Amino acid sequence: MATKKMILDLDTGIDDSLAIAYALAAPDVDLIGIIGSYGNVYVKDGGINALKILELLGATDVPVYLGESHSLTSDHFDRMAVSARIHGENGIGQVELPEPARQLETQSGVDFLIDAVKQYGKNLTLVPTGPLTNLAKALEKAPEIATEIGNVTLMGGALTVEGNVNAYAEANINQDAEAANAVFTSPMHLTMVGLDVTLRTLLTRKETSLWRELNTKSGTAFADLVDYYIEAYEETNPQVPGCALHDPLAVGVALDPSFITTLGLNMFVSTDKATYGRTIGDQARLDQPETNVNVGINVDADRYLETFMNYLTGLFKQN
């Protein structure tokens, strides 16, 4: 058992599935639970997808909890059509996996997170790769966890590049800018793995063909998943030669921060209508010597991809 413990907060689509695989394959951390979120899919569908992926990878001991089903300022969530196009109607590239034997946990994801912080403290790493609603709710309920948790590395935001929803906003942050702003302006120390670095970290059919050649259940399923993702990128992001490793890069950076170069900033998230979801430096706090957000601005993509492929290929050989 590793000393480091990890919780993933996922809206389980295709790159979220890759993040689960990376966390399971990494030798220096134990994945102790997954919290479901909304975004790529509806919250319960994402939770079931996470259970299916865990079962595919032989990790039926990892519990999955459901988090919030919509943003702080709404009473429901409507899935965007583009999410279904990129991730498939079922969220996992139209790959059909068996219904999981394990059930979703009855405890709320927010309470699970708070309890885990109390139990593991600085040894706990949280990697949110969807909206930050669950984390904002946890901070509202137990504000002290902001300084008790060891590591929060999120996939979201864009500082030096345009967003992927509009010129300002990245999709995860845009789902709930109010929650993101509560997190970014809290005392919690964060690492932001945004589009600045994830769009430079790409997977191609060269890699998926290696998984397909393993002739294992998980290798074939993940090759199918990612090939679907690549096809969606060819339609929606033709300038990108492959598919971006958004969520698994955040897991990689959480375990090895040297994969990216960061800029320390005090930040906020715009909740104004014109720039909703923009992640930007806070002018009111620019002169403060202490910063609470490390923003990824460059990435050692080759070294990361080598590690990614070593981890996942080794895992797929076994399942």
Side-chain angles (χ1 to χ4, degrees), residues 96-147:
E96 294 296 331
L97 296 177
E99 288 302 309
R102 182 162 187 155
Q103 300 296 304
L104 294 165
E105 304 301 309
T106 56
Q107 184 185 24
S108 80
V110 170
D111 288 341
F112 165 66
L113 173 57
I114 294 170
D115 289 348
V117 175
K118 299 300 182 182
Q119 181 175 354
Y120 296 108
K122 296 299 182 184
N123 289 325
L124 181 65
T125 292
L126 173 69
V127 184
T129 66
L132 292 174
T133 314
N134 294 326
L135 182 51
K137 281 281 196 179
L139 286 169
E140 180 183 18
K141 191 169 185 179
E144 69 276 8
I145 69 170
T147 55

Side-chain angles (χ1 to χ4, degrees), residues 238-275:
Q239 75 281 7
V240 178
C243 64
L245 294 173
H246 299 294
D247 297 350
L249 180 59
V251 178
V253 170
L255 297 173
D256 183 355
S258 70
F259 280 133
I260 61 172
T261 304
T262 61
L263 173 67
L265 276 178
N266 289 313
M267 302 182 73
F268 77 101
V269 180
S270 174
T271 57
D272 293 339
K273 185 176 180 180
T275 56

